[in-house]
């Protein structure tokens, strides 16, 4: 597999975070609409067999990277108050510049507070549902809130998201085409009112800064993932519960909700004995009571790292 970077520019705020599993689900629907359900079934079977056509990262603002978790979860070197304050400061650092991320990847664990970026801003907007009989708003209980996300473009001086993709030979054009179609319909919730609208900036560009190196003894994941049976277990990680929903036509089947899934978060790191693999994790089956054939994407986009603590 070769690694590529795809840059996109959101036209608006978005209600659905750019997480790899959600992006993957959106691309699967496009593939099904274009090539049919049999093609999608065959495509997903390869993923279930551990032979994915491509592996996605989350979407990251500008060229920033998530902070590997061992930085903030490391043990204090002493019991003094300064070391305690230092550890608390590191817990607030969520994003790293490419240069600092590379130094951490090479074994550095001391980073400065100035390396912290506020990359995504969140805010809540108030809306009102429309009474479909009267065509008006204002009914009791009709107000509701939506949490929206946007790139902190003023601070970053950039307004793009970067998605990293490991692609099997021969799949490059197909992957790019799927993203182009996604840009035409929008991403995530409230597409019909323009949320999640985006454009692709440039084209797929080869990216070679995640290469393995001799001192690497582990990996950091830049996508949330669900470990496979034989994946490494010794490391630093956090968990999240994903409350996924079905997409496309399956939204209207009467029960669009998936079962909650526990995933390891972006930035989790694990020691690896031997060579790093290009990806870890697996597809999760049996997640939809209404649609047994539905699976959930749980692959980790792994980046080699030296864990030196």
């Amino acid at each position: 597999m070769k690694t590529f970077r795809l840059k996109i520019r959101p036209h608006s705020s978005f209600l659905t975070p750019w997480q790899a599993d959600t992006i993957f689900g959106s691309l699967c629907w496009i593939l099904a609409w274009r090539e049919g359900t049999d093609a999608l079934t065959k495509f997903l079977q390869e993923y279930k067999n551990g032979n994915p056509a491509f592996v996605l990262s989350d979407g990251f603002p500008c060229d920033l990277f998530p902070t590997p978790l061992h930085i903030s979860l490391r043990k204090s070197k002493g019991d003094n108050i300064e070391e305690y304050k230092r550890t608390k400061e590191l817990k607030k650092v969520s994003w790293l510049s490419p240069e600092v991320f590379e130094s951490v990847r090479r074994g550095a664990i001391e980073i400065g507070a100035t390396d912290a970026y506020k990359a995504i801003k969140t805010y809540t907007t108030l809306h009102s549902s429309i009474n479909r009989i009267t065509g008006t708003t204002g009914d009791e209980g009709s107000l509701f809130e939506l949490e929206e996300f946007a790139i902190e473009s003023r601070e970053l001086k950039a307004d793009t998201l970067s998605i990293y993709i490991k692609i099997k030979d021969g799949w490059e054009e197909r992957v790019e085409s799927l993203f182009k179609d996604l840009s035409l319909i929008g991403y995530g919730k409230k597409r019909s009112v323009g949320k999640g609208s985006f454009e692709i900036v440039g084209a797929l560009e080869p990216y070679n800064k995640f290469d393995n190196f001799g001192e690497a003894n582990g990996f950091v994941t830049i996508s949330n993932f669900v470990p496979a049976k034989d994946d490494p277990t010794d490391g630093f990680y956090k968990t999240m519960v994903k409350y996924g929903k079905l997409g496309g036509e399956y939204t209207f089947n009467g029960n669009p909700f998936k079962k909650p899934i526990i995933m390891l978060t972006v930035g989790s790191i694990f020691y690896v004995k031997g060579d790093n693999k290009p990806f870890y994790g697996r597809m999760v089956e049996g997640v939809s009571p209404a649609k047994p054939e539905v699976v959930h994407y749980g692959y980790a986009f792994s980046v080699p790292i030296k864990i030196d603590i």
Side-chain angles (χ1 to χ4, degrees), residues 40-53:
L40 177 62
T41 300
K42 183 179 178 182
F43 171 78
L44 291 176
Q45 185 60 49
E46 291 298 308
Y47 277 81
K48 289 191 279 188
N49 293 341
N51 184 32

Side-chain angles (χ1 to χ4, degrees), residues 33-263:
W33 291 328
R34 286 169 38 168
E35 303 180 24
T37 54
D38 288 344
L40 177 62
T41 300
K42 183 179 178 182
F43 171 78
L44 291 176
Q45 185 60 49
E46 291 298 308
Y47 277 81
K48 289 191 279 188
N49 293 341
N51 184 32
F54 56 87
V55 177
L56 300 164
S57 78
D58 285 15
F60 302 122
C62 194
D63 289 324
L64 300 180
F65 291 101
T67 305
L69 291 179
H70 68 302
I71 296 297
S72 60
L73 299 178
R74 67 195 177 100
K75 294 181 180 177
S76 299
K77 293 180 179 178
D79 296 330
N80 61 71
I81 188 66
E82 293 303 321
E83 183 62 24
Y84 173 74
K85 290 181 178 178
R86 171 71 176 153
T87 302
K88 288 195 69 175
E89 286 180 359
L90 289 177
K91 289 183 182 296
K92 301 176 183 176
V93 180
S94 300
W95 301 98
L96 301 178
S97 69
E99 296 76 19
V100 176
F101 181 78
E102 181 61 15
S103 69
V104 170
R105 209 167 72 85
R106 300 277 172 175
I109 60 171
E110 295 296 334
I111 59 176
T114 55
D115 296 324
Y117 293 89
K118 185 179 179 182
I120 297 289
K121 55 185 176 183
T122 61
Y123 52 93
T124 301
T125 54
L126 193 61
H127 301 262
S128 179
S129 59
I130 298 176
N131 187 314
R132 296 187 183 280
I133 297 176
T134 64
T136 61
T137 61
D139 292 350
E140 184 177 355
S142 63
L143 291 177
F144 62 95
E145 294 180 342
L146 288 177
E147 185 179 29
E148 303 192 22
F149 308 90
I151 300 172
E152 188 59 82
S153 55
R154 182 177 301 176
E155 184 168 328
L156 293 176
K157 297 183 173 60
D159 58 356
T160 59
L161 289 167
S162 295
I163 300 171
Y164 300 88
I165 315 169
K166 294 181 179 180
I167 308 177
K168 283 172 60 175
D169 288 344
W171 269 83
E172 295 86 350
E173 289 187 9
R174 204 170 174 188
V175 170
E176 191 168 18
S177 175
L178 289 172
F179 271 98
K180 285 181 178 176
D181 280 3
L182 182 60
S183 72
L184 298 177
I185 64 173
Y187 169 79
K189 301 174 186 173
K190 299 292 181 183
R191 293 179 306 188
S192 60
V193 295
K195 298 300 180 183
S197 172
F198 71 96
E199 65 177 293
I200 295 174
V201 180
L204 272 181
E205 51 180 323
Y207 192 85
N208 60 8
K209 297 182 180 179
F210 294 151
D211 290 348
N212 204 356
F213 56 97
E215 295 178 311
N217 60 351
F219 75 90
V220 55
T221 177
I222 56 172
S223 63
N224 302 324
F225 80 108
V226 179
K229 180 180 178 182
D230 298 326
D231 282 352
T233 57
D234 187 11
F236 299 81
Y237 60 89
K238 288 183 178 179
T239 60
M240 60 170 286
V241 179
K242 187 73 181 247
Y243 297 93
K245 290 183 180 178
L246 305 180
E249 291 85 345
Y250 282 6
T251 304
F252 309 104
N253 73 60
N255 182 11
F257 300 102
K258 292 182 180 178
K259 297 177 182 177
I261 300 172
I262 297 177
M263 305 187 78

Side-chain angles (χ1 to χ4, degrees), residues 18-37:
W18 286 84
Q19 296 177 342
D21 53 341
T22 310
I23 301 171
F24 182 83
S26 301
L27 298 179
C28 283
W29 274 108
I30 292 173
L31 192 150
W33 291 328
R34 286 169 38 168
E35 303 180 24
T37 54

